[in-house]
Amino acid sequence: MSEKVTIYDIAEKLNITAATVSRALNNNPKIKESTRELVIKTAASMNYKQNKLALALKSGRSNNIGVIVPRIDSNFFASVIRGIEEELHPNGYQVIICQTHESKKRENENLYTLIDAQVDGILMSLTDVTSENDGAFQYVLQKNVPLVFFDRSKHIEGVSSVTINDFRGGYLTTKHLINEGCRHIAHFSGDQSLEIFKNRFLGYKQALLDHGIDFKEEYVIYTKSAVEAGKEAVDKLLQLETPPDAIFSASDFAALGAIQELKERNISIPKEFCVAGFSNEPFTKFMELSITSVDQSPLEMGKMAARVFLEQVDKTETIKIEKKVVLAPELHIRKSSSRSTF
Amino acid sequence: MSEKVTIYDIAEKLNITAATVSRALNNNPKIKESTRELVIKTAASMNYKQNKLALALKSGRSNNIGVIVPRIDSNFFASVIRGIEEELHPNGYQVIICQTHESKKRENENLYTLIDAQVDGILMSLTDVTSENDGAFQYVLQKNVPLVFFDRSKHIEGVSSVTINDFRGGYLTTKHLINEGCRHIAHFSGDQSLEIFKNRFLGYKQALLDHGIDFKEEYVIYTKSAVEAGKEAVDKLLQLETPPDAIFSASDFAALGAIQELKERNISIPKEFCVAGFSNEPFTKFMELSITSVDQSPLEMGKMAARVFLEQVDKTETIKIEKKVVLAPELHIRKSSSRSTF
DNA sequence: TATTTTCGTGTAATCGATTACATAATTATT
DNA sequence: AATAATTATGTAATCGATTACACGAAAATA
């Protein structure tokens, strides 16, 4: 370790006090111009670097923020993180990454660890496991650390959130499928204790209703967000008395599985069967049979979450802010559901 | 901010010293068992949490490590980071993420910022911009902070690295294309000042040589890692007097572009033309015409980089360790190059 | 019983920077 | 020139935890 240079070293060299050095370096107006210049020059020549840990201890602010996601290796979450990092970096914050792997236990652990590490804020997307226990969240709030949910959110007093309008996403997609002539539209959903899945489902339902199509319980299948799950779900659907002629999947991966399964059964897409997904994962665009999907503008979502945090971080402690930002979803219509256009 | 509980508060309550409290909580054997229990119980009841910043300042270790990548929203880097996080989390380290966006300037900024933030180590993948200036790296080394390169590496005294055998990856892929009957194999490369691209190229060249096929300079095209770039490159290649009958692309995205362009020209894949990529991005597997690609086991790479860091972090300061780990690449043969199998 | 060990705790310095308050040095005012 | 006002700097506490050293009390030994 190269000998660390502190303000005391600079002070000693110049026969002044550390306090003066500190003030000079912080542009305190009470310092004589000549002294300031001398200190700054000497600091530079001695290769002085401010010890951020000491500063953090003194000020109580670490300039770190924590980000908790189910996993980082999904395009959606990685893009959100990118947005967060890009917005926060210029403000001098470092981004600490934690993963939950959809485990509530790890979610709680991460929350406690981050608070212990004195982060200045936490931005997170919930696990898909339901839980009534808000203990860890209350702990965060009680420490007065700004907490912002993005995408996967739930209502907790004092917690802000940035989401997209999932209802609208579901509605638009379903409406589009109806416009393409589909009349028996199935839906792949996720755990509806998560608002995102609930709302996509409700949008789907409302669209059916508004267009005079009966909602059928049996058309709703709960799948994991995985290719295999999509295949199995199609298998189930095709055994119904009236099999559907379209699927609105709340997951791109399940949508892909569905398409693979349909192809294997020689069902022509989009002619006989339309499919649409959700998230606009890169592969949906790349496929030869490109997949219609709802874009969640993850980059924008990350930046927005970061901005909400920044707004809250310096506010007086007494005012509890609870901001709900809802971004507009964007339906990308592609081959898998385009009977007319392509 | 809920009043912070410190060891002094506990000490006061029990009419003992903070020193005793500290010792009790740290399982110092000099503490009487009854005292220890009392302290621990009281600490729990008062909801005491150790202040990590104070600890970090005292010990000089932040328990943070920095990870610098070109961008986080690529499956490869995200997966590496996942590996790093999973390996380091159980060891009590937090992972701080930085992006360079392929800018040398930002790379240097990030290095300085991380050092200033007292990270205990830095794991990184280089930008694709060449630079002779190692100043920032020297700064890191001089501070005796372990530095580990992964994937995109270059030789610097005292820096460890974890890479895959890119030469072998290039060799295996090219050999495979030859086995499928291709005799005019083109290569999409990246900036060869980066060892990864240099080595993939060399592997390609060697495979040609070993199988009695002439190497042609005109078959090597330098492309960005992007779909459009692949299309343009194919356009160029097909204008040659003897157009190639296969492409080994050092990028999956460029390979995808190539495939799209070839299809548009009604060139049949793999019958008339074979294509193989590199990185095993998720979409290569998902396509109907799935794309042959080299897997770099990013998860494993991340874990390995983390382990190399862990080995170095506690070593006596005088021994400079320089470990080079080379992982084996794995060729995933898929439809885009399988004349025989599928 | 007197003396040496051992054990358990307290005292105070330390990590590096910031800052309220005090004081010295300078300049302005009468 | 004497006093007031201003400016620049020093002193020392603080953030919260750790730890070398010191010391009193209890236990072991002579």
Side-chain angles (χ1 to χ4, degrees):
Chain A
M1 198 81 59
S2 71
E3 344 64 46
K4 289 182 187 164
V5 181
T6 74
I7 52 173
Y8 294 94
D9 300 324
I10 300 174
E12 193 176 7
K13 184 158 198 171
L14 296 177
N15 265 315
I16 54 178
T17 336
T20 305
V21 175
S22 172
R23 287 195 268 258
L25 294 173
N26 286 291
N27 288 317
N28 185 312
K30 305 218 136 199
I31 290 295
K32 211 200 306 178
E33 195 49 37
S34 62
T35 311
R36 182 197 321 288
E37 279 169 19
L38 185 62
V39 168
I40 290 177
K41 215 173 65 186
T42 313
S45 81
M46 294 177 75
N47 224 330
Y48 167 78
K49 291 277 173 179
Q50 189 191 44
N51 185 320
K52 293 281 160 65
L53 291 179
L55 180 59
L57 173 60
K58 189 70 174 67
S59 68
R61 316 181 73 223
S62 65
N63 280 298
N64 290 150
I65 66 109
V67 175
I68 304 177
V69 290
R71 63 191 166 285
I72 186 187
D73 58 342
S74 104
N75 183 268
F76 174 72
F77 289 121
S79 298
V80 175
I81 293 172
R82 171 174 176 155
I84 292 173
E85 201 269 340
E86 286 178 11
E87 191 75 16
L88 253 29
H89 188 263
N91 287 282
Y93 286 99
Q94 305 273 10
V95 176
I96 292 175
I97 299 291
C98 298
Q99 303 180 89
T100 64
H101 297 295
E102 309 289 10
S103 146
K104 204 74 195 170
K105 182 157 162 283
R106 293 187 68 159
E107 179 172 291
N108 286 336
E109 278 172 16
N110 285 330
L111 284 167
Y112 285 114
T113 311
L114 287 173
I115 292 296
D116 287 359
Q118 318 284 128
V119 293
D120 297 338
I122 295 179
L123 316 187
M124 70 182 297
S125 211
L126 291 168
T127 66
D128 64 7
V129 184
T130 327
S131 165
E132 295 304 311
N133 181 4
D134 281 354
F137 298 121
Q138 294 309 329
Y139 182 65
V140 174
L141 292 172
Q142 173 198 325
K143 294 277 176 190
N144 221 277
V145 173
L147 179 58
V148 181
F149 290 148
F150 56 85
D151 194 47
R152 295 185 184 181
S153 167
K154 73 172 169 180
H155 181 79
I156 294 180
E157 190 99 18
V159 181
S160 296
S161 68
V162 178
T163 53
I164 65 156
N165 190 330
D166 286 285
F167 179 92
R168 191 166 161 72
Y171 191 96
L172 282 176
T173 312
T174 309
K175 185 176 159 196
H176 159 69
L177 291 172
I178 296 170
N179 283 344
E180 295 296 310
C182 306
R183 287 296 171 271
H184 304 280
I185 303 171
H187 176 46
F188 293 174
S189 186
D191 185 331
Q192 293 204 359
S193 69
L194 278 184
E195 290 179 6
I196 53 168
F197 292 121
K198 185 81 180 176
N199 289 333
R200 289 172 199 177
F201 165 71
L202 290 176
Y204 153 79
K205 203 166 169 182
Q206 189 63 44
L208 294 180
L209 215 80
D210 288 357
H211 293 80
I213 299 177
D214 281 350
F215 164 72
K216 288 193 192 170
E217 196 69 65
E218 58 188 10
Y219 277 178
V220 178
I221 314 242
Y222 296 87
T223 67
K224 295 244 161 230
S225 174
V227 177
E228 265 320 305
K231 290 188 177 189
E232 288 163 17
V234 163
D235 187 56
K236 256 190 235 165
L237 285 173
L238 293 184
Q239 286 171 27
L240 293 177
E241 201 165 338
T242 320
D245 58 4
I247 294 169
F248 160 49
S249 168
S251 147
D252 276 336
F253 292 94
L256 174 61
I259 287 177
Q260 291 181 351
E261 184 68 23
L262 288 166
K263 277 198 172 175
E264 242 164 62
R265 296 170 183 243
N266 286 316
I267 297 176
S268 149
I269 304 170
K271 212 164 148 194
E272 300 173 61
F273 206 111
C274 289
V275 178
F278 213 104
S279 285
N280 202 21
E281 284 282 332
F283 70 80
T284 58
K285 184 172 65 183
F286 292 152
M287 315 281 299
E288 289 102 289
L289 178 67
S290 55
I291 305 175
T292 294
S293 190
V294 176
D295 187 74
Q296 302 171 278
S297 43
L299 208 71
E300 193 51 40
M301 188 180 281
K303 291 189 180 199
M304 196 54 98
R307 272 180 234 137
V308 171
F309 157 72
L310 288 173
E311 280 173 22
Q312 300 196 193
V313 73
D314 281 326
K315 286 282 188 292
T316 49
E317 321 205 349
T318 39
I319 307 168
K320 271 262 158 59
I321 312 157
E322 192 183 306
K323 192 165 184 176
K324 305 279 178 193
V325 177
V326 179
L327 303 173
E330 201 176 303
L331 179 61
H332 289 242
I333 298 172
R334 302 206 180 92
K335 291 185 187 168
S336 70
S337 71
S338 301
R339 287 174 173 169
S340 28
T341 326
F342 289 88
Chain B
M1 197 82 57
S2 73
E3 345 64 45
K4 288 182 190 164
V5 181
T6 72
I7 52 172
Y8 294 94
D9 300 324
I10 301 173
E12 193 176 8
K13 185 157 196 172
L14 296 177
N15 264 317
I16 53 177
T17 337
T20 305
V21 175
S22 172
R23 291 193 188 98
L25 294 173
N26 287 290
N27 287 317
N28 185 314
K30 305 219 137 197
I31 291 295
K32 211 201 305 179
E33 196 50 37
S34 62
T35 312
R36 182 197 320 288
E37 279 168 20
L38 184 62
V39 169
I40 290 176
K41 216 175 60 187
T42 313
S45 80
M46 293 178 77
N47 224 331
Y48 167 78
K49 291 277 172 178
Q50 188 192 45
N51 185 320
K52 294 281 161 64
L53 290 180
L55 181 59
L57 174 59
K58 190 71 172 69
S59 67
R61 316 182 72 222
S62 65
N63 281 298
N64 290 150
I65 65 110
V67 175
I68 304 177
V69 290
R71 62 191 165 284
I72 187 187
D73 58 342
S74 103
N75 183 268
F76 174 72
F77 289 121
S79 298
V80 174
I81 293 172
R82 173 174 174 156
I84 292 173
E85 201 270 338
E86 286 177 10
E87 191 75 17
L88 253 28
H89 188 263
N91 287 283
Y93 286 98
Q94 304 273 11
V95 177
I96 293 175
I97 298 291
C98 298
Q99 304 180 90
T100 64
H101 297 294
E102 310 289 11
S103 145
K104 206 72 196 171
K105 180 156 163 283
R106 293 187 68 159
E107 179 172 291
N108 286 335
E109 278 172 17
N110 285 330
L111 284 167
Y112 284 114
T113 312
L114 287 173
I115 292 295
D116 287 358
Q118 318 285 127
V119 294
D120 297 340
I122 295 179
L123 316 187
M124 69 182 298
S125 212
L126 292 168
T127 65
D128 65 6
V129 184
T130 327
S131 165
E132 293 304 311
N133 182 2
D134 281 354
F137 298 120
Q138 294 309 329
Y139 183 63
V140 174
L141 292 173
Q142 173 199 323
K143 294 276 178 192
N144 222 277
V145 174
L147 178 59
V148 181
F149 290 148
F150 57 84
D151 194 47
R152 297 184 184 182
S153 166
K154 72 172 169 180
H155 180 77
I156 295 181
E157 189 98 18
V159 180
S160 295
S161 69
V162 179
T163 52
I164 64 155
N165 190 330
D166 287 285
F167 179 92
R168 191 165 161 72
Y171 191 96
L172 281 177
T173 312
T174 308
K175 187 177 157 194
H176 159 70
L177 291 172
I178 295 171
N179 283 344
E180 295 297 310
C182 305
R183 288 297 172 270
H184 305 279
I185 303 171
H187 176 47
F188 292 175
S189 185
D191 184 331
Q192 294 204 358
S193 67
L194 278 184
E195 289 180 7
I196 52 168
F197 292 122
K198 185 80 179 180
N199 289 333
R200 290 173 198 177
F201 165 71
L202 290 175
Y204 153 78
K205 203 167 169 182
Q206 188 64 44
L208 294 181
L209 214 80
D210 287 358
H211 293 80
I213 299 177
D214 282 350
F215 164 73
K216 288 193 192 170
E217 196 68 67
E218 59 189 10
Y219 277 179
V220 179
I221 313 241
Y222 295 87
T223 66
K224 293 245 161 231
S225 175
V227 177
E228 265 319 306
K231 291 189 178 188
E232 288 163 18
V234 163
D235 186 56
K236 255 190 235 165
L237 286 173
L238 294 184
Q239 286 171 28
L240 293 177
E241 202 166 336
T242 321
D245 57 4
I247 294 169
F248 160 49
S249 169
S251 148
D252 276 336
F253 291 96
L256 174 60
I259 289 177
Q260 292 182 350
E261 184 67 25
L262 288 166
K263 278 198 172 172
E264 243 164 60
R265 295 171 185 242
N266 287 315
I267 297 175
S268 150
I269 304 170
K271 211 164 148 198
E272 301 172 62
F273 206 110
C274 289
V275 178
F278 213 104
S279 284
N280 203 21
E281 285 281 332
F283 69 81
T284 59
K285 184 171 66 185
F286 292 153
M287 315 282 297
E288 288 103 289
L289 178 66
S290 55
I291 305 176
T292 293
S293 191
V294 177
D295 187 73
Q296 302 171 277
S297 44
L299 209 70
E300 193 51 41
M301 188 179 282
K303 291 188 179 196
M304 196 53 97
R307 273 182 233 138
V308 171
F309 157 72
L310 289 172
E311 281 173 21
Q312 300 197 190
V313 73
D314 281 325
K315 284 284 186 293
T316 49
E317 320 206 350
T318 40
I319 306 169
K320 272 261 159 58
I321 311 158
E322 191 183 306
K323 193 165 183 175
K324 306 279 177 192
V325 177
V326 179
L327 304 173
E330 201 175 303
L331 180 61
H332 288 243
I333 297 173
R334 302 205 180 93
K335 290 186 187 168
S336 70
S337 70
S338 301
R339 288 174 173 170
S340 29
T341 326
F342 289 88

